[in-house]
Amino acid sequence: MAGQVEGKVALVTGGASGIGEAVVELFAREGATVIATDIDELRGPELARRITKAGGKAIFLEQDVTSEERWVEIAAEIAKRYGRLDVLVSNAGIGIAVPSIVDMTLSDWRRQNAINLDGVFLSVKHCLPLMRKTGGGSIVMMSSLAGLRGSPGLSAYSATKGGVRLFAKSIAMECAAAGDGIRVNSVHPGIIDTPIWGKIPTGATGNQGNAPIDPEERARVVTPLGRAGQAAEIAGGVLYLASDASRYVTGTELVIDGGMNAGGVPRRA
Ligand SMILES: NC(=O)c1ccc[n+]([C@@H]2O[C@H](COP(=O)([O-])OP(=O)(O)OC[C@H]3O[C@@H](n4cnc5c(N)ncnc54)[C@H](O)[C@@H]3O)[C@@H](O)[C@H]2O)c1
């Protein structure tokens, strides 16, 4: 049976860890040729080797999504190797948390924006021409539940994810108006058990003491389904948006959050 993205060429930024890694693995299992990019030069090549060994098609290219120069090179490399790009998953992101916005430095605010928002802008600017050349495709931007609701301690992060949400809708409208066959959607994960939580400084976002935030513990309290999501559960949604099963879907937002955005349920003991 043909895979759901059989024969497609897909680029996944931030592909070395967490949600990006799960997307790379799932796309490769479903028949795509995957280009995973990341700043992580240890996990990235290892992931590509693992997939190739299992019979899938994947390569790793080192990339900092904030560098426009590197975006020019990445797009040229994909054009040279494959002559096409069908799927772009703009996933790379970080979360900088502070107890209060008055504690945030301007340089941290700018770093937050550079990776989560400038990086997504650059991905579209430099990949769209190649996607248009071969008649269309799908762009999936990784936003967050924090792009739909306020998040104390994570206001800068929320601002970037809210920006990504409307950037996706606006590019969806541009592409529809151009009739270029490119669909654009955003994905909004809730609390997902990935390494990102361990990278958030202690003391921020209301977590007590010196322990890093435990996503499972946090999700048990605030998520209607009572647990954190797994990266693979987000990858499944990204696969749907990348595949032809979603050919009538553009400009929308796919919330995958264990029910958090729908409302609250009585807290469990
Ligand atoms: N985990 C969650 O609970 C959650 C919830 C909502 C949204 N998200 C979003 O999902 C995306 C993936 O996050 P994750 O949870 O898998 O985290 P993660 O930390 O496991 O993975 C993020 C990847 O992005 C890479 N990266 C960081 N800065 C980069 C840069 N400048 N250039 C290129 N790559 C860079 C990291 O090296 C890492 O491999 C992010 O955009 C994040 O905001 C995560």
Side-chain angles (χ1 to χ4, degrees):
M1 209 177 76
Q4 293 184 60
V5 282
E6 194 76 41
K8 293 187 193 292
V9 176
L11 166 60
V12 182
T13 70
S17 168
I19 293 169
E21 179 180 9
V23 170
V24 171
E25 282 178 330
L26 184 58
F27 277 12
R29 271 206 308 280
E30 292 292 333
T33 298
V34 193
I35 304 109
T37 76
D38 205 292
I39 48 171
D40 190 331
E41 293 185 77
L42 287 176
R43 292 178 62 102
E46 179 47 40
L47 171 66
R49 268 196 297 276
R50 211 164 62 229
I51 290 172
T52 311
K53 208 169 151 203
K57 297 187 209 98
I59 62 162
F60 173 76
L61 299 175
E62 177 282 322
Q63 177 188 30
D64 179 340
V65 292
T66 67
S67 162
E68 182 155 28
E69 248 176 24
R70 189 63 182 138
W71 268 112
V72 172
E73 291 168 0
I74 294 281
E77 177 77 22
I78 295 170
K80 192 174 95 194
R81 278 185 192 239
Y82 309 109
R84 62 186 302 124
L85 182 65
D86 305 292
V87 179
L88 166 65
V89 182
S90 301
N91 165 75
I94 61 163
I96 301 179
V98 285
S100 156
I101 192 60
V102 297
D103 302 316
M104 176 153 263
T105 63
L106 182 56
S107 80
D108 273 351
W109 171 270
R110 286 184 173 147
R111 194 160 69 90
Q112 181 68 85
N113 275 274
I115 296 171
N116 289 22
L117 205 46
D118 299 0
V120 176
F121 152 66
L122 291 171
S123 72
V124 173
K125 178 176 164 66
H126 292 286
C127 292
L128 207 50
L130 183 56
M131 295 178 79
R132 281 182 165 152
K133 251 193 198 161
T134 43
S138 171
I139 298 177
V140 182
M141 300 183 193
M142 198 55 65
S143 179
S144 171
L145 191 58
L148 299 172
R149 304 174 11 167
S151 311
L154 276 167
S155 50
Y157 177 79
S158 266
T160 66
K161 295 302 188 181
V164 165
R165 171 175 174 263
L166 277 178
F167 184 62
K169 291 186 196 305
S170 301
I171 304 305
M173 295 306 102
E174 272 192 30
C175 290
D180 61 9
I182 296 173
R183 301 180 295 103
V184 188
N185 296 287
S186 56
V187 173
H188 300 258
I191 299 175
I192 313 303
D193 190 0
T194 73
I196 204 171
W197 292 95
K199 300 171 194 169
I200 293 176
T202 55
T205 69
N207 62 322
Q208 304 296 316
N210 291 319
I213 300 171
D214 177 349
E216 193 53 53
E217 202 176 290
R218 179 174 272 231
R220 244 194 320 272
V221 181
V222 298
T223 307
L225 289 188
R227 66 167 176 87
Q230 297 303 309
E233 291 168 322
I234 305 304
V238 177
L239 175 67
Y240 164 69
L241 291 173
S243 76
D244 297 339
S246 61
R247 61 188 169 271
Y248 198 53
V249 179
T250 196
T252 197
E253 44 202 53
L254 179 54
V255 179
I256 310 176
D257 68 345
M260 274 176 84
N261 198 41
V265 292
R267 281 162 192 250
R268 283 149 225 264

